[in-house]
Amino acid sequence: MSNLITVSPSPHVHTDESVQKIMYRVVVAMIPALVWSVVVFGFDALRVTMIAIAASVGFEYLVQRYIMKVKPSVTDGSALITGMLLAFNVPANLPWWIIIIGAFVSIGIGKLSFGGLGTNIFNPALVGRVFLLISFPVQMTSYPAPAGSGVDAVTAPTPLGLLKEGLMNGQPISEIAGNLPAATDLLMGTTGGSLGEISALMLIIGGIYMLIRKVITWHTPVAVLGSMFVVAAIFWMIDPEAYIGPAYHLLTGGAMLGAIFMATDMVSSPMTGKGQLIYGVGIGAITMSIRLFGAYPEGISFAILIMNAFTPLINNAVKPKRFGGMK
Amino acid sequence: MLKTFKLGGIHPPENKFSAGQAIQIAELPKVVSIPVAQHIGTPSVPVVAKGDKVKVGQLIAKSGGFVSANIHSSVSGTVAKLDLVPDSLGYPKQAIIINVDGDEWLETIDRSDALVKECDLDGPSIVQKVNESGIVGMGGATFPTHVKLVPPKGMKAEYLLINGVECEPYLTSDHRLMLEKSDEILVGTCLLMKALNVDKAIIGIENNKPDAIRLMTEKASKYKGIQVVPLKVKYPQGGEKQLIKAATGREVPSGALPIAVGCVVSNVGSAFAVYEAIQKNKPLFERVVTITGKSVQNPANLKVRIGTPVSELITAVGGLPEDTGKVISGGPMMGKALANMEVPVTKGTSGILMIPAKEARRNEVQPCIRCSRCVSACPMGLEPYLLMTVAEKNLLERAESERIMDCIECGSCSYTCPASRPLLDYIRFGKSRVGALIRARKN
Amino acid sequence: MNMTIIYTVITLGAIGSSAAVILYFVAQKFKVYEDPRIDDVEGSLPGANCGGCGYAGCRAFAEACVKEGDLSDLYCPVGGNDCMSGVAKILGLEAVKKDPRVAVLRCNGTCEFRPRVNAYDGAATCAIIHATYSGETGCQYGCLGCGDCCAVCEFDALHMDPVTGLPVVDEDKCTACGACVRECPKNLFELRKKLPKHRKIYVACRNEDKGPVNKKACEVACIGCSKCFKVCEYDAITMGNNLAFIDSDKCKFCRKCVPVCPTNAIIETGFPPRRVKEEPAESTQVTS
Ligand code: SF4
Ligand code: SF4
């Protein structure tokens, strides 16, 4: 075999891109946000991330090896990403066993039950997250206070939580605003929240890296953030006392994390740029309606999952521009 | 801004090692085997028999129909036999095998190098002569040129496009030809314009060949109606439809021929062959072939007689490198891998490429991660990942409605897929099945 | 309160009954008359929808049986004679009787007999290899070994043998539906007469090249020497394209041709061992 001449159909040259390279680039892009969360939440952040990664990779290996009886494909890096994203979506003080349950749901149900990488309809990390959010609402929404926040508080509410609570109590924005962290804090990420969502800046850095390395295209993030901005701006202009400004919405509650890292998941997002725009606008609109009118202060996870379900439909409806016109 | 086509396209590494090598004349082989089916269309019919003496340029097989081409002897000698010889796919095809003896050309052929510009033939006689000389598209498609020169009723050509793009990596034969035979190509272009009765011709050249662009532009200014258009490097710009789009902005409708938008495309090699056929009375029996590869000692551009075994060309550039894992006839994107080095060079062989073993095998196939790179690479705006799936599942109607027949088999999708999926393998298979379905429906 | 309930019931009832009336008339209008015997015939078919009869599934075949009014051109190879006589009974017609058949692979180019001369690397289906080139060995007529046939077999009767690289027919499961015959791009399958104890004699080769060429490509190729043709007393062997062919309907299974083949290209299976102390041809058997 070794010295026989190879024959194969054309083409005979191929890119040096590979699934692994793409996946590891996503991992690299998440590192700034991870580093920042360690700075803010201390060693706990690293602990949660490590447990989530180990559990995801482990479950992927075990399920593929012993239940699906296929060659395990853990080296492709997709389980690693799922683990990291799951960790990014939970509070830094989450007990280890909840993380493991989350990883199991992500990998086992969100990914492998659909057939594994490439065939899952929903973003696996989000399936895990939403499952945890519904099953363990208390643990999932009590966020540790960021280090150096001055107060010795054990938990800190998220900005969006504060906002929702204030509005529920009938306070106008101008009153609540005093309690809310400033926009610069949100950008840097010195507020309460899930592990990876706190610093918009770090997430944007990661996003730019992915754009440059051609892992993602601009369509999805721009559509998500753009539509959120527009919806928020409209309501804010109608009544600035009842609705907070659009910039605030973009910087809080995982909007960046969702738009840059989770909505852009290649497997569960549409194939064409146009499709991604529709998908992104859908996510933005649903997120905003949950935030403004729903019971949860935060909604991007649900929005992404809902739009994931529409992805096959969008793929069918939105075709790339064909050469030679449409027939 | 340089012109190029809009949709898709890729940038494979160019590796044009032999670009600086002047065209040399290959040694005469001892035996040639000239297949009678070297072109698209009906195979030609042999007109010689065993034992016949032939001269260089003598007709040995007559065109077998309208879409077919004459074949001329590339050597002088005796016809040894008519036999089945494996073609580049390994399937036996009829061929005329000639034992070479000396190098005696037909007296009618003008062997001088002098440039002949004037020609008093009218359009139809040029077409006639092109037909007689067995000229086909020499970029690899091997479509008989005279057929293109007679537009179907009701259609009129407006532009003649001469394809000097050579977008395939490694290959340099057209590039060298443009540098060394620029005037001849231009005269050939004029003859083709006359045959087609058009007054505008565009020569498209990618700007990784600045020397050729400069030379051709300078020379073209002396010929009326010929314009050289530099194009941005992007594969597959040499595809007919992509070239038309890049050079004229027109888009050939799905399923139609270039003539539908008033264009006729011809390769520079064919333009040169037209020049030789008409001004020098020399039918098509030799061509320039690039012999190259990463570990090849002396990559070269050789002028080769049709029917020469590929193995002799490999010997001419220093033998098959030790580490060779694959030998390709044509370019790396659309060429065919050879299993047998004894296959003959034909009118469509633009290059012989030797790929080292470590690059010869594909990576392990992984599941599609829906990265949509294949979709953005496809110059025809198709969705290769989807076409592959429907072809694999034999969903032919769906494949047809997803326009599988538009695929030009450029291989951009397979090239670009990070999961190393055999996209084009399945698409090609699907195309053949859908093609059969469409034919069956017509009958 | 009571009135609300009554109104609701009345309105819903009215909507329901008017819809029923409309549906009834629509159903009447678009009703297609179907011969009830089609259902009966379909019920007596095996229901494998394999297409072995030449129709797109059992229902189509049943329709054809009823419509034709004559069963001489119609045969379900899976159900066989029993099934067809059942169909004939329902329709009051005469069924043709056919000998049971079984699929046979006419290639014995195992890895041992037919060395590889190049390595294929691409989508692993026979159809794609066939379109790409002549194959990994010197024989362009032989099995490509990717198992397209196994994939189309609805009856689990075909499996690739990892050692020989050739598919093996499980004769007890093979229904002679012909799916593999249609699928194989090299046309290697033939439906031959089925004998008890899996007895078979056939030329396991389709190589049409001349002797010296195919001998080089494969040790057990038929070289077209006509020795078997000469020895056969029953006219069962024909020569053509450098290839011998044994007609399973004419063959009397005397086994005379087997030992004369210089390349052991004729395979016999299911027979008791020979008593004569001649060189046995057993060594070439792959199916037994
Ligand atoms: S081979 Fe066909 S499907 Fe693939 S990129 Fe080229 S035209 Fe598109
Ligand atoms: S390039 Fe490959 S992995 Fe990406 S979408 Fe196309 S087939 Fe799938």
Side-chain angles (χ1 to χ4, degrees), chain B residues 374 377-380 382 384 387 406-414 424 427:
Chain B
C374 53
C378 179
M380 298 306 290
L382 307 175
L387 293 178
D406 280 1
C407 168
I408 56 168
E409 305 187 16
C410 67
S412 301
C413 46
S414 296
L424 179 53
I427 295 174

Side-chain angles (χ1 to χ4, degrees), chain A residues 62-85:
Chain A
L62 293 176
V63 173
Q64 285 188 325
R65 179 79 197 273
Y66 296 105
I67 299 184
M68 296 170 72
K69 305 241 187 314
V70 293
K71 201 168 140 243
S73 58
V74 284
T75 47
D76 66 19
S78 60
L80 179 62
I81 294 181
T82 304
M84 264 178 114
L85 275 181

